Amino acid sequence: MDRPARLHALTEELRRAGDRGRTAEQLAAQFEVTPRTIKRDIAVLQSSGAAIRATAGPGGGYGIIGNGTLPPVNFTPAQAVSVALALTAFRDAPFATDGRAALAKLLDVMDTESRERVERLGAKVWIRRDTTGGSAEPRIRRVVEDGLQRELMVSLRYVDRDGGRTERVVEPHLLAHTRGSWFLVAWCLSRAGVRWFRLDRVSDATLTGRSFVPRDPDLFGEPPADARTVFDR
């Protein structure tokens, strides 16, 4: 999770916590950063005018000052895509029609730039309705998601179906659900070609910090006829 997204998530978490507040250690564990990083993030939010109190010592932590309010909650592009993905995966679930209507309302009130970011990210995720399979560890999944969203290369340690282990540097282009598993569809620099990596076989993943220019979508082929991107009706 990059810093702007984390700042947004921190404000939402403090809003949910209400009078109970949260300690730096609790927030650090939740967002998988150090307490020092949380303290710096809170300082940034406070300097931007957020009504956040900070109490030192035993029993201390962070919370909302009095009846003060934080800025209105807005979805990040990743949050909007996550909601759309859930609705796509369970199109026939109870209240799914209402859920799609709620998502449409959310997109309608987004500014043009945010909506375009949502649509670009949403186009990079597609799903087929079949049985679910294994999933990646949350930390690995977040690294892959960050690389996809921010167009940063990712270093992978991968275990193939025969147990062979390799290390790859890849450009993440798509996430696809098919044959009961989630796959990262990427340009592999080690093999100079398109490769599919089953996420539950990725043993480790790290952002390299190196950006890439998205390649021609035709290189990655067309999704199956029964696949949907997350904003398909």
Side-chain angles (χ1 to χ4, degrees), residues 18-19 46 49-54 62-70:
D19 293 338
Q46 290 172 323
I52 299 175
R53 61 172 169 79
Y62 303 107
I64 307 245
I65 297 174
N67 294 322
T69 59
L70 293 168

Side-chain angles (χ1 to χ4, degrees), residues 80-89 91 103 118-119 121-127 182 228-233:
V81 169
S82 177
V83 172
L85 178 60
L87 293 169
T88 300
R91 294 172 68 88
L103 180 61
V118 169
E119 291 173 348
L121 182 58
K124 297 178 180 180
V125 183
W126 58 261
I127 187 169
W182 277 104
R228 297 187 179 95
T229 61
V230 297
F231 291 111
D232 284 348
R233 298 292 186 263

Side-chain angles (χ1 to χ4, degrees), residues 53-229:
R53 61 172 169 79
T55 306
Y62 303 107
I64 307 245
I65 297 174
N67 294 322
T69 59
L70 293 168
V73 175
N74 295 308
F75 276 19
T76 65
Q79 288 169 340
V81 169
S82 177
V83 172
L85 178 60
L87 293 169
T88 300
F90 299 100
R91 294 172 68 88
D92 55 353
F95 308 113
T97 299
D98 297 286
R100 286 191 288 272
L103 180 61
K105 290 179 181 178
L106 169 68
L107 296 175
D108 285 343
V109 300
M110 278 185 165
D111 61 82
T112 301
E113 181 182 356
S114 295
R115 178 163 184 151
E116 288 175 351
R117 290 173 60 200
V118 169
E119 291 173 348
R120 285 198 302 272
L121 182 58
K124 297 178 180 180
V125 183
W126 58 261
I127 187 169
R128 297 176 78 182
R129 286 297 310 274
D130 49 18
T131 57
T132 58
S135 60
E137 294 180 11
R139 186 191 63 80
I140 291 173
R141 190 176 65 245
R142 279 192 287 273
V143 169
V144 171
E145 291 166 351
D146 279 351
L148 184 74
Q149 184 174 1
R150 299 164 60 191
E151 295 176 352
L152 294 175
M153 296 182 193
V154 175
S155 176
L156 300 178
R157 290 183 179 176
Y158 191 71
V159 183
D160 65 25
R161 69 178 66 184
D162 299 318
R165 296 176 179 271
T166 57
E167 295 188 13
R168 314 284 188 94
V169 175
V170 304
E171 301 170 356
H173 281 265
L174 296 165
L175 285 170
H177 185 273
T178 186
R179 301 197 300 275
S181 297
W182 277 104
F183 292 83
L184 168 64
V185 186
W187 180 268
C188 178
L189 275 68
S190 306
R191 301 293 189 268
V194 176
R195 293 293 187 274
W196 286 55
F197 299 94
R198 215 173 87 176
L199 285 186
D200 60 348
R201 290 180 178 160
V202 177
S203 62
D204 195 19
T206 308
L207 287 176
T208 66
R210 295 158 53 194
S211 61
F212 65 90
V213 176
R215 296 178 186 267
D216 185 345
D218 289 345
L219 287 171
F220 302 92
E222 291 291 329
D226 61 343
R228 297 187 179 95
T229 61

